[in-house]
Amino acid sequence: MTKNICVIYTGGTIGMRAAGSGDESESLAPAAGFLSHQIENMSELKQSSAGEKIDFALIEYAPLLDSSDMTPKSWVKIATDIEKRYHEFDGFIVLHGTDTLAYTASALSFFVEGSRKPIVVTGSQLPFGVPRSDARNNIVSAFQVAAEMPPELAQVCVVFGSRILRGNRCTKVSAIAYDAFNSPRYPLLGTVGIDINYNENCEPLTPPAEMRVQTQSPDNETIAVVRIFPGFSHEIIRSLSTNPKLKGIVLEAYGTGNGPSGDAQFLSAITAARAKGIVIVVVAQPLEGIVQFDNYAVGSALRQAGAVSGKDMTTEAALAKLYYLISLGLGAKQIEERIRLPISGEMVD
Ligand code: ASP
């Protein structure tokens, strides 16, 4: 049997080349056509490790983006491109810059909800073709996973270095190591070594009967990510809340969801923001752990002020999920109800 794979190349270091002249001669920039040409000529991509023939089609975005320039509109474009070709292909690969890869992988798990085919997001730390680049290996591994991932595990995942990760659980943990991503709050879906091994203990997702793609991006609404720190001023929340476009705040709180709740002004700023229809989702600052408001009085106070627990969601997943729910045109109350429930394995039930 032949496996048909669709590669969507959006940009990133993986296909960049040293550009420019003068002072900036060393800086990397996207190079149209370069990576696509290399991939077309990689003989390792023609066959899966199980011996199945692989055929692929490659779509190169114009312009190619450094992923720092990605926006929610870019997520919708990728989701729409997958939807258009969903029935033609057995699996999808999204080639992407590493800087915002975890955001896009999280977003795709919501905007392309319930895919029964693997959607593999990858990139590289070093550009294709430079000595010791990880680009070639990551591309080959992504092809193998897109062609062979067991159907019960098929989902939006990140294949990078030696790890296969659930897309909406991963975060960028290194700007220097080849294993640039990890999912500290969720087990690996698999490992890439001499063999590719899948984690049989991972709970399969229960996707909706029909795959649903959200092709609308939030146009006028915006979200803020705010990290609490010692000396945090309630004025930060107050001044953000004066922006009529602000629909949500991802609040990175201490420990299991604690904030400076001895500061009555902080709590009233949260209550006032909530009264304006701004959804406040609390995520945990520690890399491991889960928001449990009632562990401490300071956490309960946050809940009483109107904040919602993001449980063990990453900041990236909480942000992408908020954008997704806003794009559905839901009001604050409905968004809060849906934030509490997993959509695509992004949090514990
Ligand atoms: N700035 C690059 C990007 O995110 C970094 C990378 O790809 O590693 O597009």
mmCIF file of all heavy atoms in Angstrom, residues 11-14 16 65-68 96-100 124-125 172, ligand 1:
data_model
loop_
_atom_site.group_PDB
_atom_site.id
_atom_site.type_symbol
_atom_site.label_atom_id
_atom_site.label_comp_id
_atom_site.label_asym_id
_atom_site.label_seq_id
_atom_site.Cartn_x
_atom_site.Cartn_y
_atom_site.Cartn_z
ATOM 1 N N GLY A 11 7.783 27.785 6.828
ATOM 2 C CA GLY A 11 8.960 28.630 7.065
ATOM 3 C C GLY A 11 9.779 28.103 8.227
ATOM 4 O O GLY A 11 9.722 26.925 8.547
ATOM 5 N N GLY A 12 10.551 28.978 8.861
ATOM 6 C CA GLY A 12 11.374 28.576 10.011
ATOM 7 C C GLY A 12 12.824 28.348 9.621
ATOM 8 O O GLY A 12 13.168 28.253 8.434
ATOM 9 N N THR A 13 13.654 28.209 10.645
ATOM 10 C CA THR A 13 15.090 27.985 10.451
ATOM 11 C C THR A 13 15.378 26.830 9.510
ATOM 12 O O THR A 13 16.345 26.863 8.732
ATOM 13 C CB THR A 13 15.739 27.687 11.828
ATOM 14 O OG1 THR A 13 15.654 28.867 12.617
ATOM 15 C CG2 THR A 13 17.190 27.279 11.701
ATOM 16 N N ILE A 14 14.544 25.815 9.586
ATOM 17 C CA ILE A 14 14.773 24.581 8.819
ATOM 18 C C ILE A 14 15.109 24.849 7.348
ATOM 19 O O ILE A 14 15.932 24.147 6.762
ATOM 20 C CB ILE A 14 13.543 23.636 8.987
ATOM 21 C CG1 ILE A 14 13.843 22.245 8.463
ATOM 22 C CG2 ILE A 14 12.275 24.205 8.356
ATOM 23 C CD1 ILE A 14 12.878 21.180 8.951
ATOM 24 N N MET A 16 16.022 28.055 6.174
ATOM 25 C CA MET A 16 16.622 29.390 6.032
ATOM 26 C C MET A 16 18.057 29.306 5.517
ATOM 27 O O MET A 16 18.717 28.275 5.603
ATOM 28 C CB MET A 16 16.615 30.111 7.380
ATOM 29 C CG MET A 16 15.238 30.544 7.815
ATOM 30 S SD MET A 16 15.337 31.626 9.253
ATOM 31 C CE MET A 16 13.604 31.802 9.668
ATOM 32 N N LEU A 65 7.570 32.146 6.393
ATOM 33 C CA LEU A 65 7.614 33.008 7.586
ATOM 34 C C LEU A 65 8.636 32.543 8.607
ATOM 35 O O LEU A 65 8.790 31.334 8.838
ATOM 36 C CB LEU A 65 6.243 32.977 8.284
ATOM 37 C CG LEU A 65 5.080 33.667 7.607
ATOM 38 C CD1 LEU A 65 3.842 33.531 8.485
ATOM 39 C CD2 LEU A 65 5.383 35.131 7.362
ATOM 40 N N ASP A 66 9.331 33.485 9.200
ATOM 41 C CA ASP A 66 9.956 33.200 10.483
ATOM 42 C C ASP A 66 8.763 33.042 11.429
ATOM 43 O O ASP A 66 7.841 33.868 11.405
ATOM 44 C CB ASP A 66 10.840 34.396 10.915
ATOM 45 C CG ASP A 66 11.595 34.091 12.194
ATOM 46 O OD1 ASP A 66 10.951 33.749 13.203
ATOM 47 O OD2 ASP A 66 12.826 34.186 12.195
ATOM 48 N N SER A 67 8.757 32.007 12.255
ATOM 49 C CA SER A 67 7.526 31.736 13.008
ATOM 50 C C SER A 67 7.224 32.819 14.036
ATOM 51 O O SER A 67 6.124 32.871 14.577
ATOM 52 C CB SER A 67 7.558 30.357 13.649
ATOM 53 O OG SER A 67 8.346 30.344 14.803
ATOM 54 N N SER A 68 8.167 33.713 14.294
ATOM 55 C CA SER A 68 7.871 34.847 15.177
ATOM 56 C C SER A 68 6.815 35.757 14.542
ATOM 57 O O SER A 68 6.201 36.574 15.231
ATOM 58 C CB SER A 68 9.141 35.670 15.422
ATOM 59 O OG SER A 68 10.152 34.826 15.881
ATOM 60 N N HIS A 96 7.835 24.116 10.298
ATOM 61 C CA HIS A 96 7.523 25.349 11.027
ATOM 62 C C HIS A 96 8.750 25.803 11.803
ATOM 63 O O HIS A 96 9.556 24.990 12.247
ATOM 64 C CB HIS A 96 6.396 24.993 12.008
ATOM 65 C CG HIS A 96 5.622 26.127 12.572
ATOM 66 N ND1 HIS A 96 6.124 26.969 13.533
ATOM 67 C CD2 HIS A 96 4.356 26.544 12.324
ATOM 68 C CE1 HIS A 96 5.200 27.868 13.849
ATOM 69 N NE2 HIS A 96 4.116 27.643 13.127
ATOM 70 N N GLY A 97 8.864 27.092 12.029
ATOM 71 C CA GLY A 97 9.924 27.599 12.904
ATOM 72 C C GLY A 97 9.692 27.171 14.336
ATOM 73 O O GLY A 97 8.547 26.923 14.742
ATOM 74 N N THR A 98 10.772 27.085 15.111
ATOM 75 C CA THR A 98 10.613 26.549 16.469
ATOM 76 C C THR A 98 10.078 27.583 17.466
ATOM 77 O O THR A 98 9.519 27.212 18.488
ATOM 78 C CB THR A 98 11.958 26.010 17.009
ATOM 79 O OG1 THR A 98 12.891 27.083 17.081
ATOM 80 C CG2 THR A 98 12.507 24.896 16.139
ATOM 81 N N ASP A 99 10.250 28.865 17.151
ATOM 82 C CA ASP A 99 9.894 29.872 18.165
ATOM 83 C C ASP A 99 8.423 29.806 18.578
ATOM 84 O O ASP A 99 8.104 29.956 19.756
ATOM 85 C CB ASP A 99 10.222 31.290 17.655
ATOM 86 C CG ASP A 99 11.718 31.546 17.633
ATOM 87 O OD1 ASP A 99 12.463 30.808 18.316
ATOM 88 O OD2 ASP A 99 12.155 32.478 16.926
ATOM 89 N N THR A 100 7.537 29.626 17.635
ATOM 90 C CA THR A 100 6.110 29.563 17.996
ATOM 91 C C THR A 100 5.487 28.221 17.618
ATOM 92 O O THR A 100 4.268 28.110 17.526
ATOM 93 C CB THR A 100 5.301 30.723 17.356
ATOM 94 O OG1 THR A 100 5.320 30.575 15.923
ATOM 95 C CG2 THR A 100 5.873 32.076 17.723
ATOM 96 N N SER A 124 13.543 22.658 12.850
ATOM 97 C CA SER A 124 14.892 22.248 13.248
ATOM 98 C C SER A 124 15.606 23.401 13.934
ATOM 99 O O SER A 124 15.223 24.565 13.788
ATOM 100 C CB SER A 124 15.696 21.766 12.040
ATOM 101 O OG SER A 124 15.974 22.851 11.188
ATOM 102 N N GLN A 125 16.645 23.041 14.642
ATOM 103 C CA GLN A 125 17.447 24.053 15.336
ATOM 104 C C GLN A 125 18.476 24.685 14.396
ATOM 105 O O GLN A 125 18.846 25.835 14.569
ATOM 106 C CB GLN A 125 18.178 23.421 16.532
ATOM 107 C CG GLN A 125 17.265 22.918 17.647
ATOM 108 C CD GLN A 125 16.736 24.060 18.510
ATOM 109 O OE1 GLN A 125 16.209 25.042 17.990
ATOM 110 N NE2 GLN A 125 16.832 23.915 19.820
ATOM 111 N N LYS A 172 8.512 24.818 24.141
ATOM 112 C CA LYS A 172 9.925 24.880 23.738
ATOM 113 C C LYS A 172 10.779 24.974 24.995
ATOM 114 O O LYS A 172 10.611 25.902 25.783
ATOM 115 C CB LYS A 172 10.157 26.078 22.811
ATOM 116 C CG LYS A 172 11.586 26.132 22.265
ATOM 117 C CD LYS A 172 11.746 27.177 21.170
ATOM 118 C CE LYS A 172 13.194 27.271 20.707
ATOM 119 N NZ LYS A 172 13.404 28.249 19.652
HETATM 120 N N1 ASP B 1 13.190 32.226 14.405
HETATM 121 C C1 ASP B 1 13.044 30.873 13.895
HETATM 122 C C2 ASP B 1 11.571 30.612 13.680
HETATM 123 O O1 ASP B 1 10.868 30.387 14.626
HETATM 124 C C3 ASP B 1 13.631 29.903 14.852
HETATM 125 C C4 ASP B 1 13.590 28.466 14.438
HETATM 126 O O2 ASP B 1 12.951 28.053 13.490
HETATM 127 O O3 ASP B 1 14.253 27.662 15.135
HETATM 128 O O4 ASP B 1 11.109 30.655 12.574
#
